[in-house]
């Protein structure tokens, strides 16, 4: 595809459920980033991959959050035992050089 | 803590006038500076990036950077109603590093 794709676009989870969010980056893009955007806020960095290597996970808010990119392309962000404060839009971005291109995001609502 | 500060707005500008958006950042080591536009319910879209002190023009947009003052701005000439959106200022320390976003300024172009 021409851009970054994310699925699902919307996810409703009951508190305590596990969720998995998928990101398909632009083909050939080496770097992949995950951000969390709460309502009325700017995106906040969660984690970063270069190919399959997770180089920075300093933004993950707790050990309930886990991300992987096993083959250096598709990435999955997993949130275990979801809490209401996890409700946000989760944005994925990929880049080849300096510019990050964002996907449409997954809106997660935890009830 | 690296911070990017923006006035949240809303900033109201008459159609056809110049909109001026401002941003300050805390990390003197920042090397790359970005302006993203985000429409409601959509993902951020890159408008401009600037690396060197001074002005950079692209169509109706001009980015201005002053590293000594740790200040970056975006000017939008001949503002159009379609420019109404949230504008996110973002900075990055190194080429492959995460991007730190401000909270965004809501811009409203009055027809």
């Amino acid at each position: 595809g021409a851009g970054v794709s994310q699925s699902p676009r919307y996810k409703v989870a009951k508190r305590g459920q596990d969720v998995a969010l998928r990101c398909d980056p632009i083909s050939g893009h080496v770097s992949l980033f995950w951000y969390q955007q709460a309502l009325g806020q700017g995106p906040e960095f969660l984690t970063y991959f270069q190919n399959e290597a997770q180089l920075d996970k300093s933004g993950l808010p707790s050990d309930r959050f886990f991300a992987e990119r096993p083959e250096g392309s598709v990435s999955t962000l997993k949130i275990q035992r979801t809490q209401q404060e996890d409700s946000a839009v989760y944005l994925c971005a990929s880049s080849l050089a300096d510019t990050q291109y964002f996907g449409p995001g997954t809106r997660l609502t935890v009830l | 803590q690296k911070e990017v500060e923006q006035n949240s707005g809303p900033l109201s500008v008459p159609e056809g006038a110049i909109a001026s958006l401002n941003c300050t950042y805390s990390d003197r080591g920042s090397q790359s500076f970005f302006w993203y536009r985000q429409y409601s319910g959509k993902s951020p879209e890159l408008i401009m990036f600037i690396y060197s002190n001074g002005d950079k023009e692209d169509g109706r947009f001009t980015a201005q950077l002053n590293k000594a003052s740790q200040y970056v701005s975006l000017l939008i000439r001949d503002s159009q109603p379609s420019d109404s959106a949230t504008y996110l200022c973002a900075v990055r320390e190194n080429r492959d590093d995460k991007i730190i976003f401000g909270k965004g300024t809501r811009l409203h172009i009055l027809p």
Side-chain angles (χ1 to χ4, degrees):
Chain A
V4 179
S5 60
Q6 293 186 244
S7 61
R9 292 292 312 278
Y10 304 90
K11 177 68 179 178
V12 178
K14 292 183 179 179
R15 189 173 56 182
Q17 279 186 327
D18 298 348
V19 298
L21 313 179
R22 176 187 169 107
C23 173
D24 280 86
I26 294 171
S27 179
H29 278 197
V30 171
S31 301
L32 185 148
F33 300 79
W34 283 99
Y35 295 87
Q36 180 191 60
Q37 186 172 25
L39 191 64
Q41 303 294 314
E44 292 196 4
F45 171 80
L46 293 177
T47 186
Y48 155 56
F49 292 86
Q50 193 169 89
N51 296 306
E52 68 279 1
Q54 189 175 20
L55 299 187
D56 187 344
K57 55 181 181 179
S58 62
L60 296 176
S62 77
D63 59 7
R64 297 185 296 104
F65 287 71
F66 172 77
E68 61 183 3
R69 194 186 185 198
E71 297 179 357
S73 55
V74 171
S75 177
T76 303
L77 176 66
K78 298 179 180 178
I79 309 174
Q80 297 177 322
R81 305 182 303 282
T82 52
Q83 304 294 314
Q84 285 188 322
E85 61 263 27
D86 299 335
S87 296
V89 175
Y90 290 85
L91 293 164
C92 175
S94 72
S95 72
L96 182 59
D98 292 338
T99 302
Q100 293 189 14
Y101 297 91
F102 282 84
T106 294
R107 181 177 297 277
L108 173 66
T109 302
V110 181
L111 303 177
Chain B
Q1 180 90 4
K2 300 175 183 178
E3 294 184 344
V4 177
E5 299 288 339
Q6 294 181 258
N7 189 320
S8 63
L11 175 65
S12 295
V13 173
E15 183 175 357
I18 296 175
S20 178
L21 304 162
N22 305 312
C23 169
T24 59
Y25 58 95
S26 63
D27 183 12
R28 284 196 171 273
S30 299
Q31 296 293 323
S32 307
F33 306 86
F34 306 87
W35 283 100
Y36 283 82
R37 177 176 62 198
Q38 188 172 29
Y39 292 112
S40 181
K42 302 296 185 182
S43 59
E45 172 192 10
L46 182 68
I47 300 175
M48 296 276 293
F49 60 87
I50 186 167
Y51 302 145
S52 304
N53 277 327
D55 294 0
K56 178 181 179 182
E57 185 175 323
D58 183 1
R60 295 187 295 113
F61 299 95
T62 299
Q64 299 174 317
L65 174 62
N66 184 327
K67 289 187 178 181
S69 300
Q70 295 175 239
Y71 177 91
V72 58
S73 65
L74 179 70
L75 300 178
I76 306 174
R77 289 181 299 281
D78 188 24
S79 297
Q80 303 296 309
S82 60
D83 295 327
S84 297
T86 295
Y87 288 80
L88 298 164
C89 174
V91 306
R92 186 175 64 196
E93 182 175 359
N94 297 308
R95 175 172 173 163
D96 293 323
D97 206 353
K98 61 194 177 192
I99 288 180
I100 307 297
F101 284 88
K103 294 184 177 182
T105 298
R106 285 184 295 134
L107 175 65
H108 184 208
I109 306 302
L110 304 170

